[in-house]
């Protein structure tokens, strides 16, 4: 690796290191590298983020016809590489944000590669929390989804099921009624935790049927979802339901564990930004689903990546020369000039 210490040489210091290879990470890399910043993109071993398990993407601007999620991410990667981004398919397991240059470890061994950078953009994303069923995993992108906004239009005229009891599940179910013949909302408890107004909308919608005290035991289908087997948790009775799609809406988990105790985050683990896209440590920025628990779209993540790269560039300009080992004061948030 270019940034690993070898033969007694000091590891190189990048201007910007980006952690994560979804739309936010790649867009940040495109902007940073195009600004002539020496940029490394630490993609992780699972390259491409959530779009790698998405089939047709129809709502990303610029594509008249649908494009497969993996194909779209491949184009992102090629564009980032075109401007000189160094692409590294490694997971970052530990960080040190106490001094600049910041240090990032790609592994737990003593000889694990260390990457150094004067600014860091975190774009590690978030993932849907799944039920943990074999068929659910096997049929993701073929009838199993964690995003109604992304995939709902592909289910025109079908009977669908949504699992969950919070506001997200209510929103997913209501959105799907635009396309589905019917929607069954399945919840393991005997009451919802969603807001009263969202519950009322769901209860009053003629296309939505509610199944309380119910859990999904199996997802049925060989090449696509053909049905689900459900069980009533109080009576133990099992039933097979014919549905053409299963939407899991039991929450999302941001990929922020390695930043716990290092950066400010909310109760759910999403990073908190204090000054535009800057986190609680000056010089460390965050973009995409790692900070966004509302929209979670490829296009909004890409926009966040653009913002973070511009913020990082202007912050670096404002800092001048910083000697290795200088202490970063987390109370200081200056240095970002307003966009013209």
């Amino acid at each position: 690796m270019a940034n690993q210490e070898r033969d007694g040489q000091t590891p190189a210091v990048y201007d910007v290191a980006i952690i994560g290879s979804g739309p936010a990470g790649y867009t940040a890399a495109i902007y940073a590298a195009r600004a002539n910043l020496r940029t490394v993109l630490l993609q992780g071993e699972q390259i491409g983020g959530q779009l790698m398990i998405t089939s047709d993407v129809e709502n990303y601007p610029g594509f008249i016809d649908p494009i497969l999620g993996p194909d779209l991410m491949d184009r992102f990667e090629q564009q980032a590489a075109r401007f000189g981004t160094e692409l590294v398919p490694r997971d970052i397991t530990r960080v040190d944000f106490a001094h600049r240059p910041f240090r990032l470890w790609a592994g737990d061994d003593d000889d694990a590669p260390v990457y150094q950078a004067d600014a860091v953009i975190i774009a590690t994303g978030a993932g849907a929390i799944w039920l943990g069923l074999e068929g659910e995993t096997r049929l993701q992108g073929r009838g199993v989804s964690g995003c109604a906004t992304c995939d709902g239009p592909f289910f025109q005229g079908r009977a669908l099921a949504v699992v969950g009891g919070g506001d997200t599940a209510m929103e997913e179910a209501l959105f799907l009624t635009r396309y589905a013949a019917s929607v069954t909302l399945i919840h393991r408890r005997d009451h919802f935790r969603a807001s009263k107004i969202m519950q009322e909308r769901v209860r009053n919608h003629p296309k939505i049927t509610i199944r309380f005290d119910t859990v999904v035991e199996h997802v049925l289908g060989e090449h696509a979802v053909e049905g689900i087997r459900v069980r009533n948790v109080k009576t133990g009775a099992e039933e097979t339901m014919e549905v053409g799609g299963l939407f899991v809406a039991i929450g999302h988990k941001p990929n922020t564990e390695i930043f716990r105790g290092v950066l400010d985050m909310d109760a759910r683990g999403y990073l908190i930004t204090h000054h535009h896209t800057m986190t609680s440590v000056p010089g460390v920025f965050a973009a995409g689903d790692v900070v966004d628990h509302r929209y979670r779209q490829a296009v909004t993540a890409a926009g966040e990546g653009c913002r973070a790269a511009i913020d990082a560039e202007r912050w670096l300009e404002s800092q001048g020369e910083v000697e290795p080992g200088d202490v970063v004061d987390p109370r200081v948030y200056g240095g970002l000039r307003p966009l013209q």
Side-chain angles (χ1 to χ4, degrees):
M1 289 296 165
N3 204 37
Q4 187 177 1
E5 187 171 352
R6 290 180 177 176
D7 302 326
Q9 294 182 349
T10 303
V13 177
Y14 295 93
D15 295 315
V16 180
I18 300 163
I19 311 174
S21 57
Y26 279 128
T27 303
I30 291 166
Y31 272 79
R34 191 169 178 270
N36 290 326
L37 298 176
R38 187 178 183 197
T39 304
V40 61
L41 177 62
L42 300 150
Q43 299 167 288
E45 294 182 1
Q46 295 183 340
I47 298 171
Q50 291 292 299
L51 282 180
M52 297 302 288
I53 59 171
T54 302
S55 52
D56 287 346
V57 178
E58 292 188 319
N59 55 1
Y60 197 87
F63 295 91
I64 299 172
D65 298 316
I67 181 171
L68 293 174
D71 290 345
L72 180 59
M73 295 319 300
D74 184 58
R75 295 191 183 198
F76 272 76
E77 182 181 66
Q78 290 181 47
Q79 190 172 3
R82 174 191 166 205
F83 292 112
T85 302
E86 182 175 336
L87 303 171
V88 180
R90 287 182 176 271
D91 288 322
I92 295 302
T93 57
R94 183 162 58 99
V95 300
D96 179 0
F97 292 158
H99 304 84
R100 287 178 61 202
F102 303 121
R103 293 188 293 169
L104 316 170
W105 282 264
D108 297 318
D109 300 332
D110 291 339
D111 60 349
V114 181
Y115 298 86
Q116 297 191 94
D118 285 327
V120 172
I121 297 173
I122 299 169
T124 47
I129 299 173
W130 300 99
L131 301 172
L133 306 175
E134 181 276 329
E136 172 193 52
T137 302
R138 180 168 47 82
L139 294 172
Q140 281 182 22
R142 292 183 288 173
V144 174
S145 174
C147 179
T149 307
C150 309
D151 299 328
F154 300 116
F155 293 86
Q156 193 78 39
R158 301 187 194 180
L160 303 176
V162 176
V163 180
D167 277 352
T168 298
M170 308 292 120
E171 292 169 1
E172 298 274 280
L174 288 165
F175 181 84
L176 289 171
T177 59
R178 304 179 187 184
Y179 312 101
S182 63
V183 177
T184 301
L185 183 56
I186 299 169
H187 188 43
R188 60 181 177 174
R189 296 189 175 89
D190 60 3
H191 63 279
F192 292 128
R193 64 182 185 278
S195 60
K196 297 296 183 183
I197 188 170
M198 294 303 295
Q199 291 189 44
E200 199 65 26
R201 290 174 183 173
V202 164
R203 293 177 190 275
N204 291 334
H205 201 289
K207 282 190 177 184
I208 299 178
T209 300
I210 298 171
R211 298 286 296 267
F212 286 117
D213 301 317
T214 302
V215 294
V216 178
E217 296 278 285
H218 299 284
V219 182
L220 308 175
E222 193 63 33
H223 303 292
V225 173
E226 297 175 0
I228 55 176
R229 187 172 298 133
V230 299
R231 176 176 58 86
N232 185 288
V233 297
K234 291 185 176 178
T235 67
E238 293 192 358
E239 177 187 349
T240 297
M241 299 174 54
E242 293 185 6
V243 297
L246 174 66
F247 288 78
V248 180
I250 58 176
H252 284 74
K253 182 180 179 181
N255 302 317
T256 58
E257 199 58 39
I258 65 170
F259 309 112
R260 192 168 296 280
V262 179
L263 300 174
D264 288 353
M265 55 182 70
D266 65 18
R268 289 180 289 179
Y270 288 91
L271 295 181
I272 297 172
T273 53
H274 298 271
H275 193 78
H276 302 297
T277 61
M278 189 183 287
T279 68
S280 53
V281 172
V284 179
F285 304 83
D289 289 5
V290 78
V291 294
D292 174 20
H293 49 76
R294 178 176 176 83
Y295 299 104
R296 296 193 299 269
Q297 300 297 302
V299 67
T300 54
E304 287 287 319
C306 163
R307 294 178 62 219
I310 292 174
D311 286 348
E313 177 192 359
R314 297 190 175 191
W315 185 81
L316 286 168
E317 288 178 354
S318 74
Q319 299 305 295
E321 292 297 325
V322 178
E323 296 298 326
D326 280 0
V327 176
V328 175
D329 184 350
R331 297 169 297 178
V332 178
Y333 299 106
L336 288 179
R337 292 184 284 108
L339 299 180
Q340 300 300 318

